[in-house]
Amino acid sequence: MSAAEQSLVNIKTRLKECINEHSPTLDAILFNGSTVVVLFLTAATSVVSGLGATVVASWVPATLSALAGILVAAERALGFGARWRYHREMRSSYEAISDMIDFYPALPEEEKPKYLKDIFTALYAVRGKESAIPNSGNTPST
């Protein structure tokens, strides 16, 4: 096994770790779940306010509306949707590089040096995005 191939094996191992670090499941659940809850709360506000003050206290629609507003503000502040998209993009990028490494042995010998350079270029580009987690500090939200 050449030094380049051994490096690719090591990189492939690290890529598996990077792929696992970018699991978008929690952010997806929080983003989509909060959206569903906000829709439910706003619908309930409309229904409850239509019942009249004799059936439901006047504070119930206001409370439901306030809860919906708090959830929208929390999602905006924490950026679950932006983080979900970020983690999906990072995971897909690492998986694409992993696929490139898997394809490397099948290449003709004369094409391997250029392809190896392409792998490292792609890896550097993706690693450069690691610090750009939305809503995590000084990075702009996407």
Side-chain angles (χ1 to χ4, degrees), residues 9-25:
V9 168
N10 295 340
I11 291 169
K12 179 88 173 177
T13 301
R14 180 65 181 119
L15 284 174
K16 288 178 185 175
E17 294 170 13
C18 292
I19 289 167
N20 291 334
E21 289 171 7
H22 287 285
S23 175
T25 306

Side-chain angles (χ1 to χ4, degrees), residues 25-106:
T25 306
L26 179 60
D27 289 322
I29 291 168
L30 291 172
F31 175 65
N32 293 309
S34 67
T35 300
V36 169
V37 172
V38 166
L39 290 172
F40 173 78
L41 289 172
T42 55
T45 299
S46 298
V47 170
V48 170
S49 63
L51 295 177
T54 57
V55 178
V56 179
S58 61
W59 60 268
V60 174
T63 302
L64 293 173
S65 181
L67 287 173
I70 289 169
L71 281 176
V72 168
E75 196 290 317
R76 287 297 192 122
L78 298 173
F80 298 129
R83 289 191 345 217
W84 174 36
R85 288 184 293 277
Y86 166 79
H87 286 300
R88 285 181 51 102
E89 179 184 334
M90 293 300 292
R91 185 181 184 108
S92 295
S93 297
Y94 284 127
E95 288 171 344
I97 295 169
S98 181
D99 291 344
M100 291 172 75
I101 291 172
D102 288 342
F103 187 65
Y104 180 83

Side-chain angles (χ1 to χ4, degrees), residues 99-100 103-104 107 111-119:
D99 291 344
M100 291 172 75
F103 187 65
Y104 180 83
L107 292 171
E111 292 182 28
K112 285 185 176 183
K114 184 202 176 304
Y115 194 76
L116 188 61
K117 183 177 178 183
D118 292 345
I119 291 171

